[in-house]
Amino acid sequence: MKKVELLVVGQGLAGTMLAFEMLKKGLSFHIISSSEKSKASLVAAGMVNPLVFKRLTKSWLADKLVPVMKESYQNLENVLGECLFFEKDILKPLSAQEKQLWQERKSLPEFSSFIREITDVAPVENISDAAGFGIVTHAGYLNLVKFLKLSEHYFRSESLLTEMDFLFQKFEPQCSNFEVGGVVAEKIVFCEGAYLRQNPFFDFVKLKPVKGEVLQIFAPELSEKYILNKGVFVLPVGHHRFKVGSTYEWQDLTEKPTQKGKKSIAERLDNLIRVDYTVENHWAGIRPAIADRRPVLGEHPNYSKLFIFNGLGTKGVMLAPFFAKEMVRYLCSENYQLSEEVRVTRFV
């Protein structure tokens, strides 16, 4: 029987980043992950954007998140032996009104490090005309599929992961220790993404799952220099392939791609680019979005050995490294206080 301090349930982006941070801090842990449950992280484009374009504000905590994110993924590339995180500027076509707002923002010190340039002429060919073009730096993407697959292989090779379902009907939360699949753990951290809906112990968390669909296209005449963003994102992933998305669907929470989603993405894409392309792939996944759009961390209000790390949502690649560190600090110290904005007790 293997004995550990912590059992991590789920090996999506949240569970994976938490496990690596536990490893770094020398905590004993084991991961269980179900092959039957899909991971939204495997479908997500993995894009990083430090700005919110709707009102042109900085993403929540962007100044803190970006440096931690870059350092963390660089370190994990060394561990996993592959290039996984790619910095790439975002190019956004602007209306005349948007261009003026972007110029105003760029003059402010807090935005100057994120808005690289605003141009009158598009710096690449074959995209739609616009009054101007904004270029955002400290952006890019994480190859999530490769990252999670390599991480799974790594954890298996270190005997730190077991493929199995967590059976709630056989679980007693008030036990002094928890035995799951030959592992005895003192504490459990649930990192289940949208499957939090099926967790009876954290059913009070206001999860607002949303379905997203993404296409992969082949477009040999389209520049790979930038991530394009207007109506859709167009993310270069190499060899003239691009991930294009996304959709937001709150009613149909199946994980099946739809013709409606494909049509919606294609119509917006056709308004942005001026080249022929072929659709090669079409995916759908459920994002573990939270009603207030903040991650969920901390200890169960009634069961002192049950914890949660969830709700990373669409900004997950940027949020995960910073908050995995926060979660481990919290697990290691009785006195460490999580920010009120992310504490799970905000839902009680």
Side-chain angles (χ1 to χ4, degrees):
M1 194 72 68
K2 179 180 180 180
K3 294 185 178 181
V4 297
E5 295 174 68
L6 294 144
L7 184 70
V8 177
V9 180
Q11 195 250 313
L13 179 59
T16 297
M17 291 305 296
L18 184 63
F20 276 124
E21 195 60 30
M22 289 177 174
L23 194 65
K24 185 177 173 183
K25 296 297 182 183
L27 300 178
S28 63
F29 69 91
H30 196 82
I31 306 164
I32 63 169
S33 179
S34 170
S35 62
E36 300 300 315
K37 293 180 178 178
S38 63
K39 302 180 179 90
S41 306
L42 291 174
V43 176
M47 190 172 73
V48 171
N49 178 4
L51 298 181
V52 178
F53 289 147
K54 191 172 183 180
R55 296 180 182 84
L56 197 56
T57 58
K58 285 195 292 188
S59 287
W60 177 62
L61 298 181
D63 294 306
K64 288 184 177 181
L65 299 178
V66 167
V68 174
M69 173 194 72
K70 290 184 180 181
E71 181 184 13
S72 295
Y73 293 131
Q74 185 178 42
N75 291 338
L76 288 174
E77 285 178 334
N78 294 332
V79 172
L80 299 173
E82 292 267 3
C83 291
L84 299 162
F85 182 74
F86 302 89
E87 293 195 57
K88 193 172 283 285
D89 289 351
I90 296 172
L91 178 65
K92 181 167 179 60
L94 306 172
S95 67
Q97 186 177 5
E98 287 172 330
K99 183 180 176 182
Q100 182 179 348
L101 177 60
W102 278 62
Q103 289 169 333
E104 291 171 4
R105 289 285 196 270
K106 186 170 175 16
S107 67
L108 301 175
E110 61 266 34
F111 281 89
S112 59
S113 62
F114 293 111
I115 299 176
R116 184 188 294 279
E117 189 179 357
I118 301 160
T119 68
D120 294 325
V121 179
V124 293
E125 297 179 341
N126 298 323
I127 63 173
S128 57
D129 295 332
F133 299 85
I135 299 174
V136 180
T137 191
H138 296 301
Y141 72 98
L142 177 69
N143 186 331
L144 270 167
V145 174
K146 184 181 282 189
F147 173 64
L148 293 179
K149 294 291 186 185
L150 288 172
S151 299
E152 179 184 0
H153 178 74
Y154 176 85
F155 292 134
R156 284 186 189 279
S157 70
E158 298 292 321
S159 301
L160 294 171
L161 185 145
T162 301
E163 192 175 285
M164 63 174 293
D165 287 319
F166 187 91
L167 302 176
F168 289 103
Q169 62 269 31
K170 295 184 178 181
F171 180 68
E172 175 47 62
Q174 294 174 317
C175 289
S176 56
N177 288 295
F178 307 105
E179 183 180 338
V180 181
V183 176
V184 177
E186 297 173 20
K187 300 173 182 178
I188 299 180
V189 187
F190 291 101
C191 307
E192 306 162 284
Y195 288 96
L196 178 64
R197 290 175 293 170
Q198 300 170 12
N199 187 323
F201 302 106
F202 287 97
D203 56 1
F204 59 88
V205 174
K206 292 180 181 177
L207 188 70
K208 193 178 181 182
V210 55
K211 179 177 181 174
E213 299 186 48
V214 175
L215 305 180
Q216 179 173 294
I217 66 168
F218 175 62
E221 296 176 43
L222 190 61
S223 170
E224 298 177 89
K225 185 175 180 181
Y226 297 102
I227 300 168
L228 304 178
N229 192 307
K230 186 173 178 62
V232 289
F233 63 78
V234 183
L235 175 69
V237 294
H239 307 290
H240 303 292
R241 266 79 185 179
F242 302 80
K243 284 191 174 180
V244 186
S246 176
T247 61
Y248 290 83
E249 170 60 54
W250 283 270
Q251 302 303 317
D252 170 17
L253 294 180
T254 66
E255 294 174 341
K256 293 181 179 180
T258 65
Q259 283 301 119
K260 176 185 173 184
K262 182 178 181 180
K263 181 182 178 184
S264 171
I265 295 170
E267 286 176 350
R268 287 175 281 151
L269 177 63
D270 292 341
N271 287 329
L272 176 58
I273 65 173
R274 297 285 180 263
V275 297
D276 293 330
Y277 61 87
T278 306
V279 176
E280 295 185 328
N281 258 313
H282 183 190
W283 303 283
I286 310 300
R287 307 179 186 97
I290 302 297
D292 60 7
R293 299 186 179 183
R294 295 290 181 262
V296 184
L297 287 72
E299 179 184 316
H300 192 283
N302 299 322
Y303 304 116
S304 62
K305 296 191 174 188
L306 303 189
F307 299 82
I308 187 171
F309 180 43
N310 206 321
L312 299 179
T314 56
K315 297 280 187 179
V317 170
M318 197 159 66
L319 292 166
F322 180 89
F323 283 104
K325 291 179 183 293
E326 286 290 282
M327 189 67 195
V328 168
R329 289 188 187 108
Y330 179 73
L331 290 166
C332 289
S333 171
E334 293 182 6
N335 301 317
Y336 191 76
Q337 294 295 314
L338 295 167
S339 163
E340 289 186 12
E341 285 185 279
V342 302
R343 284 184 209 160
V344 66
T345 49
R346 71 188 189 267
F347 296 110
V348 177

